[in-house]
Amino acid sequence: MSLVCAICNEVPEHPCVSPVSNQVFERRLIEKYIAENGTDPMNGQPLSEEQLIDIKVSHPIRPKAPSATSIPAILKSLQDEWDAVMLHSFTLRQQLQTTRQELSHALYQHDAACRVIARLTKEVTAAREALATLKPQAGLVAPQAIAASQPTAVGAGGEPMEINEQVGMTPEIIQKLQDKATILTTERKKRGKTVPEDLVRAEDLGKYHQVASHVGLHSASVPGILALDLCPSDTSKVLTGGADKNVVVFDKNEEQIVATFKGHTKKVTSVIYHPSQSVVFSASPDSTIRVVRAHEAGVTGLSLHATGDYLLSSSEDQYWAFSDIQTGRVLTKVTDESAGCALTCAQFHPDGLIFGTGTADSQIKIWDLKERTNVANFPGHSGPVTSIAFSENGYYLATGAQDSSLKLWDLRKLKNFKTITLDNNYEVKSLVFDQSGTYLAVGGSDIRVYICKQWSEVLNFTDHTGLVTGVSFGDNARFLSSAGMDRSLKFYSL
């Protein structure tokens, strides 16, 4: 309820009350009346300004003037209010559009920042992994700067020798091979069927787990380790060949790269560490072996003879070659003209007088080195043979192919006595027996270890995120090493 001045009958801006008549007045008007008359206008009794009592009220809403109550005045007032509402609405729309643009820009910046952060995180992770492997002072060693104590890739950094005229298997060479085979056979008979006392037992082997993983050995831009070998005299030295065309020697104990060899023009698919000399060998689809040039097409397999002086190689040109690593000369080069098929792998028998090759048409061929003749064939696979391995006892041959199977052959009876069917689409890339012939490791879609004779699986590792291209045992199977297309080198032990 509004207060009304007793003099002007309007809502007062500064209301006050007279204690004489208890009426409400506009202070401005009552003060003027008191100044002229000195009495209360309502009852005529004496009244002074000091007696007036102010009334505290919120800002009153003054009623519209009587002239504003006409219809034209009301319409004009409504029009003014409508115009004001429209102007305010227009201002709000402008502010909304500006806010939307700012929000859109902020979201775009946030998305771009997330992408940059993800890329930088990936690069930092790769750099940390490389740093974990490449310890200070290790560095990448150029072949020309390798110290005398480090292994040397014969021919590395330079052009491989041209294909030499075949020297032939001289009587001296044949006698040397025969003498070595006699020694090895005698040693094997002395050992008999007993296994080394220090060999890790199957129950302990079954407890192996991953103890180390290194991914900084080869280039991250061309990922993949395609070949693996351990130094026979010091299994802490690991040799790898990569899709980046490089060969790397890695020290397992020091966890650092010892040497890096460059020279191949295509990926490195086979590597071998010499057992007694500071020399490594590598082969590539660029038709070269980094010691000799013996083939006209991609080299698919390498195997070092037990004497340490001769190298066996197989190629897509359908030939196998036997070369002298000291002179770099090809001694003999042979093909099976009746087969007319590319060779996919090669491996010496432990005695060194025979060897096996795998072919692209599923055949395993056994050759007599002295006579350079094919003495036996093992059919049975239904896909290209990818890997072969002879057992140390000299009796067994393990073969893997692109038919998801693993076959064991008895060289005495020349027949297949065991076939292990692997998972569908399983790719066998590497086979290796340990030095005692007690265990067989398989690398491919995963890593599997079988105990020989029973041929039961004792280990299965799936840590690699890509195909496993190489597996190898340490001394007395104290550890297992593996390399794969995920660019990692892994070690397993207790």
Side-chain angles (χ1 to χ4, degrees):
M1 181 176 180
S2 300
L3 299 176
V4 177
C5 176
I7 297 176
C8 65
N9 291 323
E10 292 182 1
V11 177
E13 291 184 7
H14 301 286
C16 60
V17 63
S18 169
V20 176
S21 62
N22 297 325
Q23 294 291 324
V24 176
F25 300 97
E26 169 68 54
R27 175 172 277 278
R28 174 176 54 80
L29 295 178
I30 190 62
E31 286 179 349
K32 184 180 292 186
Y33 187 87
I34 293 173
E36 293 178 355
N37 302 297
T39 61
D40 186 300
M42 303 305 297
N43 55 18
Q45 292 183 9
L47 180 64
S48 65
E49 292 183 10
E50 290 76 12
Q51 291 180 287
L52 296 175
I53 302 171
D54 287 329
I55 301 175
K56 294 183 179 181
V57 296
S58 58
H59 294 291
I61 300 176
R62 298 178 62 84
K64 294 183 181 293
S67 60
T69 58
S70 63
I71 292 177
I74 293 174
L75 291 177
K76 183 179 184 307
S77 176
L78 291 175
Q79 182 66 49
D80 292 342
E81 292 182 1
W82 173 260
D83 292 345
V85 169
M86 290 301 100
L87 289 173
H88 184 63
S89 176
F90 175 73
T91 302
L92 290 178
R93 286 199 303 271
Q94 282 187 320
Q95 293 176 348
L96 176 61
Q97 183 66 24
T98 302
T99 303
R100 282 178 174 174
Q101 289 178 347
E102 292 175 352
L103 178 60
S104 175
H105 184 64
L107 290 175
Y108 174 79
Q109 287 182 321
H110 178 268
D111 183 64
C114 289
R115 291 174 182 271
V116 171
I117 291 171
R119 179 175 58 82
L120 292 177
T121 301
K122 184 177 180 180
E123 291 178 357
V124 168
T125 301
R128 283 176 176 172
E129 290 175 346
L131 183 61
T133 300
L134 305 179
K135 297 293 181 65
Q137 306 302 322
L140 295 180
V141 185
Q144 296 83 352
I146 297 172
S149 61
Q150 296 175 346
T152 304
V154 179
E159 291 299 320
M161 297 181 182
E162 294 300 321
I163 297 179
N164 295 290
E165 181 181 353
Q166 296 177 30
V167 177
M169 301 285 284
T170 64
E172 291 78 9
I173 293 175
I174 294 176
Q175 187 61 47
K176 184 177 181 179
L177 300 177
Q178 183 63 60
D179 293 344
K180 185 64 175 179
T182 301
I183 294 172
L184 293 173
T185 302
T186 303
E187 291 177 351
R188 185 177 296 110
K189 288 182 179 179
K190 287 181 179 180
R191 290 196 301 269
K193 297 182 179 180
T194 60
V195 298
E197 294 181 359
D198 295 335
L199 182 70
V200 174
R201 295 177 299 176
E203 53 268 29
D204 293 329
L205 189 69
K207 300 176 184 178
Y208 276 18
H209 61 277
Q210 181 179 311
V211 295
S213 180
H214 306 280
V215 296
L217 279 68
H218 291 269
S219 172
S221 60
V222 188
I225 299 177
L226 304 176
L228 169 71
D229 192 29
L230 300 183
C231 177
S233 59
D234 181 5
T235 53
S236 66
K237 298 294 190 300
V238 184
L239 181 66
T240 61
D244 60 356
K245 311 172 189 176
N246 294 340
V247 177
V248 171
V249 180
F250 180 80
D251 190 309
K252 168 180 173 289
N253 295 337
E254 298 296 329
E255 295 189 344
Q256 67 181 23
I257 291 175
V258 176
T260 297
F261 302 107
K262 301 181 180 181
H264 283 290
T265 58
K266 292 184 179 179
K267 59 187 179 182
V268 179
T269 54
S270 299
V271 292
I272 294 178
Y273 213 124
H274 196 285
S276 58
Q277 300 179 27
S278 190
V279 176
V280 298
F281 309 93
S282 60
S284 167
D286 63 6
S287 307
T288 66
I289 305 165
R290 286 287 143 176
V291 151
V292 294
R293 176 161 185 178
H295 298 281
E296 295 288 358
V299 180
T300 56
L302 285 181
S303 184
L304 187 64
H305 191 269
T307 59
D309 296 331
Y310 306 103
L311 192 67
L312 172 70
S313 59
S314 61
S315 172
E316 294 174 350
D317 63 7
Q318 305 177 18
Y319 281 84
W320 60 263
F322 185 68
S323 307
D324 187 327
I325 66 172
Q326 303 300 327
T327 63
R329 304 185 72 179
V330 178
L331 301 179
T332 187
K333 187 175 175 184
V334 178
T335 185
D336 184 351
E337 296 180 356
S338 63
C341 188
L343 303 183
T344 56
C345 52
Q347 185 69 42
F348 270 120
H349 184 272
D351 291 342
L353 292 182
I354 64 172
F355 63 89
T357 59
T359 68
D361 63 352
S362 314
Q363 297 290 315
I364 294 98
K365 296 180 178 294
I366 305 299
W367 299 81
D368 185 310
L369 180 59
K370 295 189 296 182
E371 301 296 330
R372 282 86 72 196
T373 56
N374 179 205
V375 295
N377 291 321
F378 293 149
H381 283 292
S382 58
V385 179
T386 55
S387 183
I388 62 176
F390 287 95
S391 173
E392 174 59 28
N393 63 19
Y395 301 146
Y396 300 143
L397 171 66
T399 62
Q402 291 183 14
D403 56 4
S404 301
S405 71
L406 176 65
K407 291 184 179 293
L408 285 305
W409 309 84
D410 191 321
L411 298 176
R412 296 164 294 184
K413 300 177 182 180
L414 300 180
K415 69 174 186 179
N416 171 225
F417 68 89
K418 179 71 175 179
T419 297
I420 300 175
T421 302
L422 304 172
D423 305 334
N424 290 336
N425 301 319
Y426 191 101
E427 297 186 52
V428 179
K429 292 296 184 182
S430 177
L431 293 173
V432 63
F433 286 93
D434 76 299
Q435 293 89 336
S436 70
T438 305
Y439 304 113
L440 172 65
V442 182
S445 301
D446 56 21
I447 303 170
R448 303 183 182 195
V449 177
Y450 296 88
I451 184 169
C452 299
K453 296 185 179 180
Q454 295 93 335
W455 304 111
S456 58
E457 184 179 303
V458 294
L459 274 183
N460 189 316
F461 294 119
T462 58
D463 302 291
H464 283 280
T465 57
L467 279 176
V468 180
T469 55
V471 288
S472 191
F473 286 100
D475 289 330
N476 292 313
R478 287 196 181 93
F479 70 88
L480 179 70
S481 60
S482 66
M485 293 303 294
D486 59 359
R487 207 168 56 92
S488 70
L489 172 65
K490 298 183 183 296
F491 296 95
Y492 301 89
S493 68
L494 289 173

